[in-house]
Amino acid sequence: MLSDTLIPVEWAVRPGLLPYPEAVEFMEHRVAAIAAGTARELVWLVEHPPIYTAGTSAKDSDLIEARFPVFKTGRGGQFTYHGPGQRVGYVMLDLHRRGGDVRRYVHDLEEWVIRALASFGVKGERREGRVGIWVARGGAREDKIAALGVRVRHWVTFHGVALNVNPDLTHFSGIVPCGIRGHGVTSLSDLGVAATMADVDVALHRSFREVFG
């Protein structure tokens, strides 16, 4: 058994494109081990082949065209796209040791991404009633640059965030991302930021330490 004293969170970057079902299976096992006290908390950074995932609130009408495989998942939220050029951060933390506040945890996830974006000169913002991190593009236009989807089991979190670095943004056209109509999606590349995935990983690591300790 691990000590009740909070120890540093493990970080892992999985190279290549990881099939989504394999990611879910890994998280299921790791979350169970964290809850049992036999494994450390983990932030796992991955990329997936093109796929649409349907959260617990997904509506059939928001699947416009099944251009890629659709995977039903147990995370909260609606339809989301994952694919190459998008950094997915799966966050497995023991909230029982961290105060047991799920709402605070979601706020901190948002803050994590906002601070990482700031290191590239991008102002990411929250919007009341709209999940994710948004970027104002001028006028009334606002585009989503990062999605959030969370699940908690036995006070251990899994799933997490998906930050658009340089994905093919046309791949989002098969769904209504997160059920939100009237807004688009963007990426660091689309905003003119020539950041590599490695650059983003460094920014995420730094901002995670600032927010979560």
Side-chain angles (χ1 to χ4, degrees):
M1 297 287 288
L2 297 176
S3 166
D4 283 340
T5 302
L6 209 59
I7 60 177
V9 176
E10 181 181 350
W11 276 75
V13 179
R14 202 277 191 185
L17 300 180
L18 175 67
Y20 188 79
E22 291 184 21
V24 173
E25 181 180 10
F26 175 88
M27 283 191 288
E28 294 277 354
H29 289 293
R30 184 62 176 244
V31 164
I34 294 171
T38 58
R40 289 168 58 187
E41 298 175 306
L42 173 66
V43 176
W44 191 30
L45 303 181
V46 310
E47 282 181 89
H48 292 302
I51 188 174
Y52 296 134
T53 66
T56 55
S57 302
K59 300 175 182 177
D60 291 342
S61 59
D62 287 340
L63 179 61
I64 299 169
E65 179 187 1
R67 298 178 56 189
F68 307 109
V70 179
F71 191 93
K72 292 186 177 181
T73 181
R75 63 160 173 79
Q78 302 186 44
F79 278 104
T80 299
Y81 166 78
H82 293 313
Q86 183 189 71
R87 177 51 89 208
V88 177
Y90 290 127
V91 184
M92 289 157 267
L93 299 182
D94 186 346
L95 292 189
H96 180 71
R97 297 183 182 184
R98 292 174 174 270
D101 189 336
V102 176
R103 183 170 295 183
R104 171 62 184 272
Y105 168 68
V106 172
H107 181 275
D108 287 347
L109 276 186
E110 295 169 337
E111 186 66 22
W112 174 36
V113 175
I114 288 170
R115 293 192 185 197
L117 289 171
S119 68
F120 298 104
V122 174
K123 185 178 182 181
E125 299 178 287
R126 302 174 179 88
R127 287 293 180 265
E128 186 70 29
R130 282 194 257 139
V131 178
I133 303 302
W134 298 82
V135 176
R137 303 298 300 273
R141 180 181 173 186
E142 294 181 337
D143 292 341
K144 177 182 279 192
I145 194 168
L148 278 75
V150 172
R151 188 174 183 184
V152 179
R153 179 183 296 158
H154 303 305
W155 288 107
V156 179
T157 68
F158 54 129
H159 297 280
V161 304
L163 173 60
N164 297 331
V165 181
N166 60 350
D168 184 340
L169 295 179
T170 67
H171 288 183
F172 286 85
S173 64
I175 59 172
V176 178
C178 299
I180 300 171
R181 300 178 184 273
H183 297 281
V185 291
T186 190
S187 66
L188 288 174
S189 178
D190 183 52
L191 294 171
V193 178
T196 67
M197 197 66 75
D199 294 333
V200 171
D201 291 348
V202 169
L204 287 170
H205 198 182
R206 183 187 305 115
S207 62
F208 187 91
R209 292 198 306 268
E210 294 172 356
V211 175
F212 289 95

